[in-house]
Amino acid sequence: MKTIFNVKVLEPFRLSLIGVLTWLALYVFIPLQVNIEITFIPFVYVSLCYLTFWLGITIADGYWLKVSQVSNRTTYFNDKRKAQTFFWFCLALGLIAFTLKIYDAISLRGVSLEQNYLENRESTQDSGNAGAIPVLGAFLTVFQFVPFLLYKILPVKRSTIVGLMTVLLFFTDLFKLLFFASRSGVFLALMLLIIILVIIGSIKINWKSFLFFVIGGVFLMLVMSSIFLERSRVFAGDFALEGLLINAQYNQVLSGEDEAINKIFYTESDLEETINFSLITSSIYYVHGLFEFNYLYQNFNSEHAFGGYTYFIVPKFLSIITGISYNQSSMEILAPRQGVFTSFFGPTYIDFGWFGLFYMLILGLFIKYLYFKVKVGSVEFIPIFAYFTVVVLFFPVFNFISGAQGGYILVSSIIYLFLYRVFKKMSFNAE
């Protein structure tokens, strides 16, 4: 059984560079126009954040490379009974997580397929109504993903039904697409699936696989954009295109060039409309975060939150177990504009200001540490490392720690790591 994982292609410096180059390529080659005054200092801040992040990686290289050379050991369960028990334990937690999320959405918040996605999103705005149930479900999120990983690498009993169950559980957040037209759950699940398959060696990264992922990604973008557009037309009618291409909140900062927008409005081909709409809106989605950060930097007039904005789940969880009230909206209003991406660096600046450079240094050290732990075969670190690869890759776009339930995924990854080590040390006497 293979004990050393394939993580070279997921090296943090390489991923961060890919993210930057992708952002530059879209900005240069897609017809987009900036609608606000741009200042120089915010881009200096972003550049220095990248440099200090890379410095942290470099410092970690000097130490952890030596450690990995002498600590080449796996943390597989060699005991089949122990592996089987842990697998079913994690699968049960994953099913509980999904059940709690569905119960919260449908029974406690009144979400329904009979409502449009805006009405469903409004039903979920007040997160305080449901108490601990949604938080508990969120804290178990990673257990929707790890059964698939464990099924692939541990010596557990194989069956078609169980294997299919782990795959279906992996994609249970598809319900967010159905109820809320939220593409983030599907996108995140696909990203984590690909990363996990790369790590365990089921996917080899070469030109053929790269081309396959590019074509598959474009096709998925078209399908999801088409679904989003059609769901918007349910309540906006003929004004859906105008609302998404001209009057969307992010269009105040970044939009398509007039010629490109007119080409979408006046085309007679539904396919051409979908392709051009998908290209423009997806590019704006990807690119606008750094320009939103520019706006945030120029208009931020509040006190820094010192971690409270990015890691809001800590005080939120403490409020649940202590009964002390916590007003999450007091954090959300720190951003001059809500409901838009401000890249990874918007929440970083809100929390730490220019001390965010030190934060990025620590982050570089930590993520490279995770990289080396997975490289030498530490199974328990795979979920948290896989998630941080997404975080790093999308630095220019979105903060996957403060958003997309990233904080909950990180906490649940730590819970999984702890439970894995507990099971590893437990003694399972044979009958």
Side-chain angles (χ1 to χ4, degrees):
M1 180 176 288
K2 186 176 180 180
T3 58
I4 306 302
F5 297 116
N6 178 30
V7 293
K8 184 177 180 180
V9 71
L10 302 174
E11 195 278 323
F13 174 80
R14 179 179 297 184
L15 285 175
S16 63
L17 199 57
I18 290 172
V20 171
L21 293 176
T22 302
W23 187 93
L24 287 172
L26 288 175
Y27 178 65
V28 170
F29 294 109
I30 303 300
L32 304 175
Q33 64 183 24
V34 181
N35 300 321
I36 62 170
E37 181 182 353
I38 298 299
T39 58
F40 181 65
I41 298 300
F43 286 105
V44 171
Y45 179 88
V46 170
S47 300
L48 291 176
C49 280
Y50 268 106
L51 289 175
T52 50
F53 177 73
W54 292 337
L55 177 61
I57 291 173
T58 303
I59 294 172
D61 271 334
Y63 176 72
W64 288 112
L65 182 60
K66 297 177 182 178
V67 172
S68 67
Q69 290 171 343
V70 299
S71 181
N72 194 9
R73 63 182 184 86
T74 181
T75 56
Y76 281 113
F77 287 122
N78 294 319
D79 185 324
K80 290 186 178 181
R81 185 183 177 196
K82 186 183 294 187
Q84 192 81 12
T85 303
F86 185 67
F87 167 76
W88 284 106
F89 176 72
C90 289
L91 185 62
L93 289 181
L95 292 171
I96 290 171
F98 176 63
T99 302
L100 289 175
K101 291 178 181 180
I102 290 294
Y103 176 75
D104 168 52
I106 297 177
S107 298
L108 299 183
R109 303 184 191 274
V111 169
S112 169
L113 286 175
E114 296 178 356
Q115 301 179 147
N116 64 53
Y117 77 90
L118 284 180
E119 291 172 332
N120 281 332
R121 289 185 179 187
E122 288 175 0
S123 299
T124 64
Q125 288 301 307
D126 188 0
S127 59
N129 288 342
I133 289 179
V135 176
L136 179 59
F139 276 148
L140 296 176
T141 295
V142 82
F143 292 96
Q144 296 173 232
F145 305 131
V146 295
F148 174 81
L149 167 67
L150 298 176
Y151 184 78
K152 297 286 288 185
I153 65 175
L154 292 185
V156 298
K157 186 177 180 180
R158 301 289 192 264
S159 77
T160 303
I161 294 177
V162 175
L164 181 60
M165 188 184 301
T166 64
V167 174
L168 292 176
L169 186 61
F170 204 105
F171 288 98
T172 45
D173 276 354
L174 275 170
F175 82 89
K176 293 180 180 178
L177 178 63
L178 296 175
F179 287 122
F180 310 115
S182 173
R183 295 163 285 183
S184 62
V186 180
F187 174 78
L188 182 59
L190 283 172
M191 286 294 300
L192 290 176
L193 177 65
I194 293 170
I195 290 167
I196 288 173
L197 291 175
V198 169
I199 290 174
I200 65 179
S202 297
I203 292 179
K204 305 294 183 184
I205 299 298
N206 50 42
W207 284 110
K208 289 183 179 180
S209 61
F210 176 76
L211 184 61
F212 172 80
F213 286 131
V214 170
I215 294 173
V218 171
F219 177 75
L220 181 65
M221 178 187 72
L222 291 174
V223 171
M224 295 179 73
S225 295
S226 178
I227 293 173
F228 183 65
L229 179 58
E230 290 307 313
R231 288 186 71 94
S232 298
R233 280 175 168 153
V234 169
F235 63 90
D238 295 335
F239 295 100
L241 270 180
E242 181 179 346
L244 295 172
L245 290 171
I246 298 177
N247 299 323
Q249 193 167 4
Y250 49 68
N251 291 142
Q252 298 177 33
V253 170
L254 188 71
S255 62
E257 292 181 354
D258 293 340
E259 183 178 349
I261 297 298
N262 290 333
K263 189 176 181 180
I264 298 173
F265 280 135
Y266 297 112
T267 182
E268 295 181 359
S269 168
D270 290 341
L271 178 60
E272 185 178 352
E273 177 189 81
T274 300
I275 291 174
N276 290 329
F277 170 81
S278 301
L279 183 64
I280 293 296
T281 55
S282 297
S283 298
I284 292 174
Y285 238 59
Y286 195 98
V287 172
H288 85 276
L290 286 180
F291 294 108
E292 285 285 355
F293 172 69
N294 201 288
Y295 179 89
L296 181 152
Y297 185 93
Q298 296 179 58
N299 295 276
F300 184 77
N301 299 311
S302 304
E303 296 291 330
H304 294 291
F306 299 102
Y309 190 87
T310 300
Y311 301 97
F312 67 90
I313 65 166
V314 176
K316 185 174 182 177
F317 178 69
L318 291 176
S319 72
I320 291 174
I321 62 176
T322 63
I324 300 175
S325 62
Y326 168 66
N327 184 10
Q328 187 175 336
S329 62
S330 65
M331 290 288 105
E332 295 173 352
I333 62 174
L334 293 178
R337 281 162 43 85
Q338 283 80 50
V340 292
F341 298 167
T342 56
S343 77
F344 184 84
F345 310 103
T348 298
Y349 184 77
I350 289 174
D351 275 327
F352 307 110
W354 282 88
F355 287 103
L357 302 182
F358 181 71
Y359 169 68
M360 294 300 297
L361 175 71
I362 300 300
L363 198 62
L365 286 165
F366 177 66
I367 295 176
K368 196 56 184 277
Y369 165 77
L370 297 178
Y371 168 83
F372 278 120
K373 293 298 290 184
V374 174
K375 183 178 180 181
V376 301
S378 296
V379 177
E380 67 270 36
F381 284 92
I382 291 179
I384 191 170
F385 172 71
Y387 193 75
F388 267 113
T389 61
V390 178
V391 172
V392 173
L393 186 61
F394 290 95
F395 271 170
V397 184
F398 180 65
N399 191 312
F400 268 100
I401 299 178
S402 64
Q405 291 200 322
Y408 294 110
I409 293 177
L410 294 181
V411 171
S412 60
S413 295
I414 295 172
I415 294 172
Y416 162 77
L417 190 157
F418 172 76
L419 291 175
Y420 190 99
R421 292 192 166 184
V422 169
F423 268 78
K424 182 74 174 160
K425 293 178 180 179
M426 289 175 64
S427 175
F428 282 61
N429 297 320
E431 293 180 355

